[in-house]
Amino acid sequence: MAQPPPPADSQPAADEHQHRSEQLRHLLVLVLAVNSGATDAIGFVGLGGVFTSVMTGNMVLLGVSISQWDGTLALHTLSAIACFALGCGIGARIAHLPRDEDPVWPHAVTRALAVELGVFAIFLVGWLATGGDPGTAMQLLLLVVNAIGLGIQSSAIQRFGVSGLSTTYLTGTLTSVVIRVMTGQRLRHVRSSLEILLALVVGAVAGGWLTLHLWAAAPVLQVVCVGLTLVVAARAFRAPASS
């Protein structure tokens, strides 16, 4: 028996649902970009002047530390690089690679972010235990915890399979924005990228200020950003557990 044709308005409705889902995903990515900026600022201001996700910057700092025979800075930068890579590996094992049949928000991304939230909860406990002023050894430990967290987040975002979408390594995003604008594209064509860059800066401002003036709230910002993303994603995006 022949199947009845789908309603005439089903495709427009499906397209509208897809568009709204992608808009919500973008908003959640902005929240995660705020988290990245805050976490990097906390690391730079409060954990020995080292980044937790800007690995190219850390490689430069590693070179500087070698030129100055600064063993502490070298140890911090090497540890951040190694633990960010470890976090990326953990995130990749949880989130896996993009698939053709993926929904807008694969459930595996939520699982990876849940692990990231646990990592930042560990940082929160450690940071509060030191009164926001860790010694050299504790600085290193807290630094690597944050680096692992942002490594997990970086791999999780890659599961979306959206070219240029990132919440951590954003030099390429900035380069793409400049190229597009200078070759005649309008700002609205790069709006999403500009919003991510702005969110990163906002997060850095907030993270840096809190570290200097309201130290106990600095890691709370991280937990709130990732926790809020998880709550909204869990309610708005439902996918099979095998995704």
Side-chain angles (χ1 to χ4, degrees):
M1 180 180 296
Q3 295 293 325
D9 60 348
S10 62
Q11 188 58 46
D15 291 343
E16 177 63 20
H17 176 74
Q18 176 81 5
H19 178 65
R20 290 185 178 182
S21 295
E22 290 175 351
Q23 284 185 317
L24 178 57
R25 180 182 64 190
H26 178 66
L27 289 175
L28 295 181
V29 166
L30 292 180
V31 175
L32 293 175
V34 170
N35 175 59
S36 295
T39 304
D40 265 323
I42 292 169
F44 194 82
V45 174
L47 299 175
V50 176
F51 299 109
T52 48
S53 75
V54 187
M55 292 302 112
T56 49
N58 278 344
M59 290 175 186
V60 172
L61 289 175
L62 177 60
V64 171
S65 70
I66 294 172
S67 71
Q68 296 179 346
W69 294 98
D70 188 337
T72 300
L73 180 59
L75 178 60
H76 278 63
T77 53
L78 280 172
S79 298
I81 293 169
C83 290
F84 179 81
L86 174 61
C88 287
I90 293 171
R93 293 290 293 179
I94 300 170
H96 302 293
L97 295 173
R99 303 173 183 172
D100 292 338
E101 69 274 15
D102 273 347
V104 171
W105 187 284
H107 187 68
V109 173
T110 303
R111 291 199 299 268
L113 294 180
V115 175
E116 180 190 14
L117 180 62
V119 171
F120 284 138
I122 293 172
F123 175 77
L124 171 63
V125 172
W127 180 258
L128 295 180
T130 66
D133 187 22
T136 302
M138 198 62 181
Q139 271 188 351
L140 181 61
L141 179 59
L142 294 177
L143 176 70
V144 302
V145 169
N146 271 352
I148 290 171
L150 286 190
I152 293 172
Q153 179 177 303
S154 296
S155 290
I157 298 303
Q158 294 306 298
R159 175 64 192 267
F160 292 136
V162 178
S163 177
L165 184 63
S166 176
T167 59
T168 51
Y169 39 96
L170 293 173
T171 302
T173 302
L174 177 61
T175 302
S176 177
V177 167
V178 173
I179 290 173
R180 291 184 180 185
V181 171
M182 295 305 294
T183 54
Q185 292 194 24
R186 300 180 180 228
L187 285 178
R188 62 186 176 85
H189 293 137
V190 295
R191 175 182 170 183
S192 296
S193 295
L194 287 173
E195 289 172 345
I196 291 174
L197 292 169
L198 178 61
L200 183 80
V201 174
V202 169
V205 171
W209 189 90
L210 290 173
T211 302
L212 292 171
H213 303 290
L214 197 60
W215 64 267
V220 174
L221 176 59
Q222 298 170 281
V223 171
V224 167
C225 285
V226 181
L228 176 63
T229 301
L230 279 170
V231 169
V232 174
R235 292 177 62 88
F237 303 106
R238 299 187 183 276
S242 60
S243 293

